[in-house]
Amino acid sequence: MFSGTYRPKLDDKGRLFLPAKFREAMGDGLVITRGQERSVDVRTQADFDSFAVKLQNAPQTDARLRHHTRMLFALASDQKLDKQGRFTVTPELREYAGLSKECVVIGVYNRLEIWEPAAWAEYTAAQEQAFSDVEEEVYPGL
């Protein structure tokens, strides 16, 4: 499980140092792609493969699914960590998420998200009150 908030920096080649606590889980490879709200999703190769099978088995007659999977897979990039625990965030994904040097990496259960710091601050400010105000079940079955 991935959790926590970290602030690594992209180097001049677009490489990001993965926080040490996540390196073992990502050691067999990872996939980066577009995330929601202009973030970058980072999943283990195994999790991404499992996710892809679910999408493949979903009804392709649903236009929303077709649109979503095109956007998801078009910028997906298989990555391996180098000896220093870095991976490359592709130029297309850096542009999509507005990433330059500073980044915020958050753990979200089965994946990581990479955010541009101002976008993350704006998102959390907008969501904080809604998070605090939850009075009903938001997680089915819990």
Side-chain angles (χ1 to χ4, degrees):
M1 179 175 82
F2 300 114
S3 62
T5 301
Y6 304 87
R7 295 185 174 271
K9 296 180 191 238
L10 286 169
D11 68 13
D12 294 338
K13 296 180 181 179
R15 295 175 300 194
L16 185 86
F17 281 96
L18 190 66
K21 74 180 269 184
F22 302 138
R23 291 180 191 167
E24 185 177 338
M26 299 287 186
D28 291 332
L30 55 100
V31 178
I32 60 173
T33 190
R34 282 183 179 107
Q36 301 305 120
E37 289 85 29
R38 296 250 175 206
S39 65
V40 174
D41 267 10
V42 182
R43 295 175 181 258
T44 66
Q45 183 71 57
D47 184 66
F48 188 82
D49 292 346
S50 174
F51 184 60
V53 167
K54 290 176 187 174
L55 291 174
Q56 184 178 11
N57 291 330
Q60 300 299 308
T61 55
D62 186 331
R64 295 172 305 162
L65 177 68
R66 290 194 310 274
H67 300 317
H68 185 79
T69 55
R70 286 178 187 134
M71 296 301 287
L72 182 72
F73 284 88
L75 294 185
S77 175
D78 296 342
Q79 299 280 322
K80 291 276 189 190
L81 296 178
D82 68 12
K83 291 179 183 178
Q84 288 79 38
R86 300 174 298 191
F87 64 95
T88 300
V89 180
T90 63
E92 297 85 2
L93 287 172
R94 290 195 309 266
E95 181 180 340
Y96 169 76
L99 302 174
S100 54
K101 187 133 185 110
E102 306 290 327
C103 296
V104 176
V105 175
I106 62 168
V108 186
Y109 187 63
N110 65 332
R111 69 183 187 283
L112 302 174
E113 293 179 352
I114 306 170
W115 288 75
E116 188 279 326
W120 175 245
E122 183 179 320
Y123 176 82
T124 56
Q127 297 301 315
E128 189 66 41
Q129 191 61 48
F131 176 79
S132 296
D133 289 345
V134 171
E135 295 180 13
E136 58 190 53
E137 180 182 310
V138 292
Y139 300 107
L142 295 181

